[in-house]
mmCIF file of all heavy atoms in Angstrom:
data_model
loop_
_atom_site.group_PDB
_atom_site.id
_atom_site.type_symbol
_atom_site.label_atom_id
_atom_site.label_comp_id
_atom_site.label_asym_id
_atom_site.label_seq_id
_atom_site.Cartn_x
_atom_site.Cartn_y
_atom_site.Cartn_z
ATOM 1 N N GLU A 797 207.632 3.031 207.132
ATOM 2 C CA GLU A 797 206.817 2.154 206.293
ATOM 3 C C GLU A 797 205.620 1.626 207.055
ATOM 4 O O GLU A 797 205.644 1.474 208.277
ATOM 5 C CB GLU A 797 207.656 0.971 205.777
ATOM 6 C CG GLU A 797 208.244 0.086 206.852
ATOM 7 C CD GLU A 797 209.151 -1.003 206.292
ATOM 8 O OE1 GLU A 797 209.310 -1.095 205.048
ATOM 9 O OE2 GLU A 797 209.708 -1.772 207.094
ATOM 10 N N LEU A 798 204.590 1.327 206.296
ATOM 11 C CA LEU A 798 203.361 0.784 206.878
ATOM 12 C C LEU A 798 203.584 -0.648 207.327
ATOM 13 O O LEU A 798 204.198 -1.438 206.609
ATOM 14 C CB LEU A 798 202.240 0.843 205.847
ATOM 15 C CG LEU A 798 200.857 0.335 206.241
ATOM 16 C CD1 LEU A 798 199.802 1.115 205.457
ATOM 17 C CD2 LEU A 798 200.688 -1.146 205.980
ATOM 18 N N VAL A 799 203.063 -0.968 208.492
ATOM 19 C CA VAL A 799 203.105 -2.340 209.008
ATOM 20 C C VAL A 799 201.709 -2.956 208.949
ATOM 21 O O VAL A 799 201.509 -4.033 208.381
ATOM 22 C CB VAL A 799 203.642 -2.372 210.447
ATOM 23 C CG1 VAL A 799 203.571 -3.797 211.013
ATOM 24 C CG2 VAL A 799 205.062 -1.836 210.511
ATOM 25 N N ALA A 800 200.732 -2.288 209.544
ATOM 26 C CA ALA A 800 199.372 -2.821 209.587
ATOM 27 C C ALA A 800 198.402 -1.681 209.842
ATOM 28 O O ALA A 800 198.745 -0.711 210.531
ATOM 29 C CB ALA A 800 199.237 -3.877 210.686
ATOM 30 N N THR A 801 197.216 -1.804 209.282
ATOM 31 C CA THR A 801 196.173 -0.803 209.516
ATOM 32 C C THR A 801 194.845 -1.476 209.824
ATOM 33 O O THR A 801 194.612 -2.628 209.470
ATOM 34 C CB THR A 801 195.977 0.120 208.298
ATOM 35 O OG1 THR A 801 195.565 -0.673 207.177
ATOM 36 C CG2 THR A 801 197.245 0.882 207.970
ATOM 37 N N MET A 802 193.998 -0.720 210.495
ATOM 38 C CA MET A 802 192.635 -1.151 210.762
ATOM 39 C C MET A 802 191.740 0.060 210.577
ATOM 40 O O MET A 802 191.979 1.104 211.194
ATOM 41 C CB MET A 802 192.495 -1.707 212.182
ATOM 42 C CG MET A 802 191.073 -2.070 212.567
ATOM 43 S SD MET A 802 190.930 -2.719 214.247
ATOM 44 C CE MET A 802 191.515 -4.391 213.978
ATOM 45 N N ASP A 803 190.715 -0.065 209.736
ATOM 46 C CA ASP A 803 189.832 1.077 209.558
ATOM 47 C C ASP A 803 188.794 1.117 210.673
ATOM 48 O O ASP A 803 188.765 0.265 211.554
ATOM 49 C CB ASP A 803 189.201 1.073 208.167
ATOM 50 C CG ASP A 803 188.215 -0.054 207.940
ATOM 51 O OD1 ASP A 803 187.740 -0.663 208.920
ATOM 52 O OD2 ASP A 803 187.913 -0.334 206.759
ATOM 53 N N ALA A 804 187.949 2.155 210.634
ATOM 54 C CA ALA A 804 186.987 2.360 211.718
ATOM 55 C C ALA A 804 186.003 1.201 211.843
ATOM 56 O O ALA A 804 185.451 0.957 212.922
ATOM 57 C CB ALA A 804 186.238 3.673 211.513
ATOM 58 N N LEU A 805 185.801 0.484 210.743
ATOM 59 C CA LEU A 805 184.866 -0.649 210.774
ATOM 60 C C LEU A 805 185.550 -1.955 211.170
ATOM 61 O O LEU A 805 184.874 -2.975 211.326
ATOM 62 C CB LEU A 805 184.206 -0.816 209.404
ATOM 63 C CG LEU A 805 183.350 0.357 208.944
ATOM 64 C CD1 LEU A 805 182.777 0.083 207.555
ATOM 65 C CD2 LEU A 805 182.237 0.645 209.936
ATOM 66 N N GLY A 806 186.881 -1.919 211.305
ATOM 67 C CA GLY A 806 187.588 -3.108 211.746
ATOM 68 C C GLY A 806 188.277 -3.906 210.652
ATOM 69 O O GLY A 806 188.895 -4.938 210.943
ATOM 70 N N SER A 807 188.205 -3.439 209.427
ATOM 71 C CA SER A 807 188.912 -4.134 208.343
ATOM 72 C C SER A 807 190.402 -3.882 208.471
ATOM 73 O O SER A 807 190.823 -2.763 208.766
ATOM 74 C CB SER A 807 188.412 -3.641 206.987
ATOM 75 O OG SER A 807 187.063 -3.996 206.799
ATOM 76 N N THR A 808 191.181 -4.923 208.233
ATOM 77 C CA THR A 808 192.629 -4.840 208.444
ATOM 78 C C THR A 808 193.403 -5.008 207.145
ATOM 79 O O THR A 808 192.908 -5.585 206.165
ATOM 80 C CB THR A 808 193.098 -5.907 209.441
ATOM 81 O OG1 THR A 808 192.747 -7.202 208.935
ATOM 82 C CG2 THR A 808 192.456 -5.708 210.802
ATOM 83 N N ASN A 809 194.612 -4.494 207.185
ATOM 84 C CA ASN A 809 195.523 -4.601 206.045
ATOM 85 C C ASN A 809 196.933 -4.736 206.610
ATOM 86 O O ASN A 809 197.271 -4.072 207.601
ATOM 87 C CB ASN A 809 195.417 -3.354 205.172
ATOM 88 C CG ASN A 809 196.345 -3.411 203.979
ATOM 89 O OD1 ASN A 809 196.308 -4.355 203.207
ATOM 90 N ND2 ASN A 809 197.194 -2.412 203.832
ATOM 91 N N TYR A 810 197.727 -5.603 205.977
ATOM 92 C CA TYR A 810 199.078 -5.858 206.477
ATOM 93 C C TYR A 810 200.096 -5.723 205.359
ATOM 94 O O TYR A 810 199.831 -6.076 204.202
ATOM 95 C CB TYR A 810 199.183 -7.268 207.062
ATOM 96 C CG TYR A 810 198.335 -7.493 208.282
ATOM 97 C CD1 TYR A 810 197.029 -7.942 208.174
ATOM 98 C CD2 TYR A 810 198.848 -7.228 209.555
ATOM 99 C CE1 TYR A 810 196.245 -8.138 209.295
ATOM 100 C CE2 TYR A 810 198.077 -7.427 210.681
ATOM 101 C CZ TYR A 810 196.773 -7.882 210.542
ATOM 102 O OH TYR A 810 196.006 -8.072 211.668
ATOM 103 N N ALA A 811 201.271 -5.262 205.735
ATOM 104 C CA ALA A 811 202.385 -5.303 204.801
ATOM 105 C C ALA A 811 202.747 -6.762 204.547
ATOM 106 O O ALA A 811 202.607 -7.618 205.433
ATOM 107 C CB ALA A 811 203.586 -4.564 205.381
ATOM 108 N N VAL A 812 203.223 -7.025 203.350
ATOM 109 C CA VAL A 812 203.534 -8.406 202.980
ATOM 110 C C VAL A 812 204.553 -9.024 203.938
ATOM 111 O O VAL A 812 204.442 -10.199 204.312
ATOM 112 C CB VAL A 812 204.064 -8.448 201.534
ATOM 113 C CG1 VAL A 812 204.612 -9.836 201.199
ATOM 114 C CG2 VAL A 812 202.969 -8.057 200.556
ATOM 115 N N PHE A 813 205.493 -8.214 204.382
ATOM 116 C CA PHE A 813 206.572 -8.770 205.192
ATOM 117 C C PHE A 813 206.163 -9.123 206.616
ATOM 118 O O PHE A 813 206.951 -9.705 207.356
ATOM 119 C CB PHE A 813 207.788 -7.822 205.205
ATOM 120 C CG PHE A 813 207.473 -6.413 205.603
ATOM 121 C CD1 PHE A 813 207.283 -6.064 206.933
ATOM 122 C CD2 PHE A 813 207.356 -5.413 204.648
ATOM 123 C CE1 PHE A 813 206.986 -4.769 207.302
ATOM 124 C CE2 PHE A 813 207.059 -4.108 204.999
ATOM 125 C CZ PHE A 813 206.874 -3.781 206.330
ATOM 126 N N VAL A 814 204.929 -8.811 207.018
ATOM 127 C CA VAL A 814 204.463 -9.201 208.357
ATOM 128 C C VAL A 814 203.249 -10.117 208.326
ATOM 129 O O VAL A 814 202.793 -10.578 209.375
ATOM 130 C CB VAL A 814 204.159 -7.984 209.258
ATOM 131 C CG1 VAL A 814 205.382 -7.093 209.385
ATOM 132 C CG2 VAL A 814 202.940 -7.216 208.761
ATOM 133 N N GLN A 815 202.731 -10.381 207.143
ATOM 134 C CA GLN A 815 201.548 -11.242 207.053
ATOM 135 C C GLN A 815 201.821 -12.607 207.677
ATOM 136 O O GLN A 815 202.830 -13.224 207.418
ATOM 137 C CB GLN A 815 201.125 -11.392 205.596
ATOM 138 C CG GLN A 815 200.444 -10.155 205.043
ATOM 139 C CD GLN A 815 199.982 -10.314 203.615
ATOM 140 O OE1 GLN A 815 200.269 -11.323 202.972
ATOM 141 N NE2 GLN A 815 199.275 -9.335 203.108
ATOM 142 N N GLY A 816 200.880 -13.009 208.511
ATOM 143 C CA GLY A 816 200.996 -14.291 209.184
ATOM 144 C C GLY A 816 201.796 -14.245 210.476
ATOM 145 O O GLY A 816 201.815 -15.221 211.225
ATOM 146 N N ARG A 817 202.464 -13.108 210.735
ATOM 147 C CA ARG A 817 203.256 -12.980 211.959
ATOM 148 C C ARG A 817 202.704 -11.923 212.907
ATOM 149 O O ARG A 817 202.807 -12.073 214.126
ATOM 150 C CB ARG A 817 204.712 -12.629 211.608
ATOM 151 C CG ARG A 817 205.413 -13.650 210.746
ATOM 152 C CD ARG A 817 206.898 -13.356 210.627
ATOM 153 N NE ARG A 817 207.167 -12.060 209.989
ATOM 154 C CZ ARG A 817 207.923 -11.107 210.529
ATOM 155 N NH1 ARG A 817 208.463 -11.275 211.716
ATOM 156 N NH2 ARG A 817 208.132 -9.966 209.876
ATOM 157 N N PHE A 818 202.160 -10.839 212.375
ATOM 158 C CA PHE A 818 201.671 -9.727 213.181
ATOM 159 C C PHE A 818 200.150 -9.668 213.114
ATOM 160 O O PHE A 818 199.545 -10.033 212.100
ATOM 161 C CB PHE A 818 202.230 -8.398 212.668
ATOM 162 C CG PHE A 818 203.712 -8.191 212.865
ATOM 163 C CD1 PHE A 818 204.543 -9.214 213.293
ATOM 164 C CD2 PHE A 818 204.262 -6.953 212.616
ATOM 165 C CE1 PHE A 818 205.901 -9.015 213.480
ATOM 166 C CE2 PHE A 818 205.617 -6.728 212.789
ATOM 167 C CZ PHE A 818 206.439 -7.763 213.214
ATOM 168 N N LEU A 819 199.561 -9.154 214.186
ATOM 169 C CA LEU A 819 198.111 -8.999 214.243
ATOM 170 C C LEU A 819 197.769 -7.668 214.880
ATOM 171 O O LEU A 819 198.189 -7.393 216.005
ATOM 172 C CB LEU A 819 197.488 -10.143 215.043
ATOM 173 C CG LEU A 819 195.971 -10.096 215.195
ATOM 174 C CD1 LEU A 819 195.314 -10.363 213.844
ATOM 175 C CD2 LEU A 819 195.497 -11.120 216.225
ATOM 176 N N ILE A 820 196.988 -6.857 214.173
ATOM 177 C CA ILE A 820 196.520 -5.588 214.715
ATOM 178 C C ILE A 820 195.124 -5.789 215.298
ATOM 179 O O ILE A 820 194.302 -6.512 214.733
ATOM 180 C CB ILE A 820 196.515 -4.476 213.645
ATOM 181 C CG1 ILE A 820 196.175 -3.119 214.273
ATOM 182 C CG2 ILE A 820 195.587 -4.811 212.497
ATOM 183 C CD1 ILE A 820 196.363 -1.943 213.314
ATOM 184 N N SER A 821 194.891 -5.197 216.449
ATOM 185 C CA SER A 821 193.573 -5.287 217.070
ATOM 186 C C SER A 821 193.282 -3.991 217.811
ATOM 187 O O SER A 821 194.166 -3.154 217.999
ATOM 188 C CB SER A 821 193.502 -6.488 218.014
ATOM 189 O OG SER A 821 194.440 -6.356 219.074
ATOM 190 N N ARG A 822 192.028 -3.856 218.224
ATOM 191 C CA ARG A 822 191.608 -2.613 218.876
ATOM 192 C C ARG A 822 190.614 -2.940 219.967
ATOM 193 O O ARG A 822 189.730 -3.778 219.783
ATOM 194 C CB ARG A 822 190.975 -1.668 217.846
ATOM 195 C CG ARG A 822 190.607 -0.303 218.364
ATOM 196 C CD ARG A 822 190.073 0.562 217.212
ATOM 197 N NE ARG A 822 188.790 0.075 216.741
ATOM 198 C CZ ARG A 822 188.425 0.094 215.450
ATOM 199 N NH1 ARG A 822 189.247 0.564 214.527
ATOM 200 N NH2 ARG A 822 187.238 -0.352 215.092
ATOM 201 N N ASP A 823 190.759 -2.281 221.096
ATOM 202 C CA ASP A 823 189.798 -2.396 222.198
ATOM 203 C C ASP A 823 189.167 -1.026 222.389
ATOM 204 O O ASP A 823 189.788 -0.117 222.950
ATOM 205 C CB ASP A 823 190.511 -2.855 223.471
ATOM 206 C CG ASP A 823 189.540 -3.128 224.608
ATOM 207 O OD1 ASP A 823 188.415 -2.572 224.599
ATOM 208 O OD2 ASP A 823 189.908 -3.870 225.533
ATOM 209 N N ASN A 824 187.958 -0.868 221.892
ATOM 210 C CA ASN A 824 187.303 0.446 221.964
ATOM 211 C C ASN A 824 186.996 0.862 223.399
ATOM 212 O O ASN A 824 186.953 2.053 223.698
ATOM 213 C CB ASN A 824 186.028 0.432 221.134
ATOM 214 C CG ASN A 824 186.304 0.336 219.646
ATOM 215 O OD1 ASN A 824 187.377 0.710 219.171
ATOM 216 N ND2 ASN A 824 185.338 -0.175 218.893
ATOM 217 N N THR A 825 186.787 -0.100 224.277
ATOM 218 C CA THR A 825 186.484 0.247 225.674
ATOM 219 C C THR A 825 187.704 0.856 226.363
ATOM 220 O O THR A 825 187.568 1.646 227.286
ATOM 221 C CB THR A 825 186.016 -0.978 226.456
ATOM 222 O OG1 THR A 825 187.083 -1.929 226.533
ATOM 223 C CG2 THR A 825 184.810 -1.624 225.788
ATOM 224 N N LYS A 826 188.891 0.480 225.899
ATOM 225 C CA LYS A 826 190.128 1.029 226.464
ATOM 226 C C LYS A 826 190.734 2.098 225.563
ATOM 227 O O LYS A 826 191.763 2.686 225.905
ATOM 228 C CB LYS A 826 191.145 -0.091 226.690
ATOM 229 C CG LYS A 826 190.694 -1.120 227.713
ATOM 230 C CD LYS A 826 191.772 -2.184 227.925
ATOM 231 C CE LYS A 826 191.327 -3.186 228.970
ATOM 232 N NZ LYS A 826 192.351 -4.247 229.186
ATOM 233 N N ASN A 827 190.106 2.315 224.416
ATOM 234 C CA ASN A 827 190.613 3.283 223.444
ATOM 235 C C ASN A 827 192.088 3.012 223.132
ATOM 236 O O ASN A 827 192.930 3.922 223.133
ATOM 237 C CB ASN A 827 190.437 4.717 223.945
ATOM 238 C CG ASN A 827 190.248 5.707 222.816
ATOM 239 O OD1 ASN A 827 189.856 5.348 221.703
ATOM 240 N ND2 ASN A 827 190.536 6.960 223.087
ATOM 241 N N THR A 828 192.372 1.754 222.875
ATOM 242 C CA THR A 828 193.749 1.288 222.677
ATOM 243 C C THR A 828 193.816 0.378 221.459
ATOM 244 O O THR A 828 192.920 -0.442 221.241
ATOM 245 C CB THR A 828 194.247 0.542 223.926
ATOM 246 O OG1 THR A 828 194.214 1.432 225.048
ATOM 247 C CG2 THR A 828 195.673 0.044 223.740
ATOM 248 N N VAL A 829 194.896 0.543 220.710
ATOM 249 C CA VAL A 829 195.187 -0.325 219.576
ATOM 250 C C VAL A 829 196.425 -1.142 219.904
ATOM 251 O O VAL A 829 197.352 -0.634 220.543
ATOM 252 C CB VAL A 829 195.420 0.509 218.307
ATOM 253 C CG1 VAL A 829 195.858 -0.374 217.142
ATOM 254 C CG2 VAL A 829 194.163 1.256 217.929
ATOM 255 N N TYR A 830 196.428 -2.378 219.460
ATOM 256 C CA TYR A 830 197.524 -3.289 219.767
ATOM 257 C C TYR A 830 198.168 -3.811 218.484
ATOM 258 O O TYR A 830 197.540 -3.857 217.425
ATOM 259 C CB TYR A 830 197.007 -4.486 220.571
ATOM 260 C CG TYR A 830 196.312 -4.108 221.846
ATOM 261 C CD1 TYR A 830 194.927 -4.006 221.906
ATOM 262 C CD2 TYR A 830 197.040 -3.856 223.005
ATOM 263 C CE1 TYR A 830 194.279 -3.659 223.079
ATOM 264 C CE2 TYR A 830 196.403 -3.513 224.185
ATOM 265 C CZ TYR A 830 195.026 -3.420 224.212
ATOM 266 O OH TYR A 830 194.398 -3.070 225.380
ATOM 267 N N LEU A 831 199.404 -4.209 218.616
ATOM 268 C CA LEU A 831 200.080 -4.926 217.553
ATOM 269 C C LEU A 831 200.776 -6.124 218.192
ATOM 270 O O LEU A 831 201.768 -5.956 218.906
ATOM 271 C CB LEU A 831 201.098 -4.044 216.827
ATOM 272 C CG LEU A 831 201.773 -4.716 215.620
ATOM 273 C CD1 LEU A 831 200.752 -4.915 214.496
ATOM 274 C CD2 LEU A 831 202.950 -3.873 215.118
ATOM 275 N N GLN A 832 200.232 -7.288 217.958
ATOM 276 C CA GLN A 832 200.859 -8.521 218.423
ATOM 277 C C GLN A 832 201.869 -8.957 217.377
ATOM 278 O O GLN A 832 201.516 -9.154 216.213
ATOM 279 C CB GLN A 832 199.811 -9.613 218.623
ATOM 280 C CG GLN A 832 200.383 -10.955 219.047
ATOM 281 C CD GLN A 832 201.003 -10.906 220.431
ATOM 282 O OE1 GLN A 832 200.445 -10.332 221.363
ATOM 283 N NE2 GLN A 832 202.173 -11.526 220.585
ATOM 284 N N MET A 833 203.111 -9.088 217.793
ATOM 285 C CA MET A 833 204.191 -9.427 216.867
ATOM 286 C C MET A 833 204.789 -10.761 217.283
ATOM 287 O O MET A 833 205.320 -10.887 218.389
ATOM 288 C CB MET A 833 205.254 -8.328 216.879
ATOM 289 C CG MET A 833 204.714 -6.940 216.601
ATOM 290 S SD MET A 833 206.009 -5.698 216.407
ATOM 291 C CE MET A 833 206.712 -5.711 218.048
ATOM 292 N N ASN A 834 204.706 -11.728 216.412
ATOM 293 C CA ASN A 834 205.240 -13.065 216.661
ATOM 294 C C ASN A 834 206.330 -13.379 215.651
ATOM 295 O O ASN A 834 206.438 -12.735 214.613
ATOM 296 C CB ASN A 834 204.122 -14.096 216.566
ATOM 297 C CG ASN A 834 203.004 -13.852 217.558
ATOM 298 O OD1 ASN A 834 203.239 -13.464 218.705
ATOM 299 N ND2 ASN A 834 201.770 -14.074 217.127
ATOM 300 N N SER A 835 207.105 -14.396 215.958
ATOM 301 C CA SER A 835 208.177 -14.845 215.055
ATOM 302 C C SER A 835 209.039 -13.681 214.598
ATOM 303 O O SER A 835 209.314 -13.516 213.406
ATOM 304 C CB SER A 835 207.572 -15.570 213.842
ATOM 305 O OG SER A 835 206.783 -16.674 214.254
ATOM 306 N N LEU A 836 209.453 -12.885 215.538
ATOM 307 C CA LEU A 836 210.203 -11.676 215.208
ATOM 308 C C LEU A 836 211.560 -12.011 214.603
ATOM 309 O O LEU A 836 212.206 -12.997 214.968
ATOM 310 C CB LEU A 836 210.363 -10.808 216.445
ATOM 311 C CG LEU A 836 209.101 -10.024 216.818
ATOM 312 C CD1 LEU A 836 209.152 -9.551 218.254
ATOM 313 C CD2 LEU A 836 208.917 -8.841 215.879
#
């Protein structure tokens, strides 16, 4: 199942069950995407 997405322009989308707890981000200089998960 989908958790979170980020398009090439940086727009994000989250599954309802993680909204407010998870954060997707991207560092283009490191070519890395992150998922910060809180309140697990």
Side-chain angles (χ1 to χ4, degrees):
E797 60 184 359
L798 180 150
V799 175
T801 61
M802 175 180 282
D803 68 17
L805 297 179
S807 294
T808 59
N809 180 55
Y810 295 89
V812 171
F813 53 78
V814 303
Q815 285 182 354
R817 300 189 298 126
F818 291 9
L819 179 69
I820 187 171
S821 62
R822 185 176 68 217
D823 186 337
N824 291 336
T825 65
K826 296 182 179 179
N827 210 22
T828 300
V829 175
Y830 303 97
L831 184 69
Q832 177 66 44
M833 306 188 295
N834 300 321
S835 302
L836 283 161

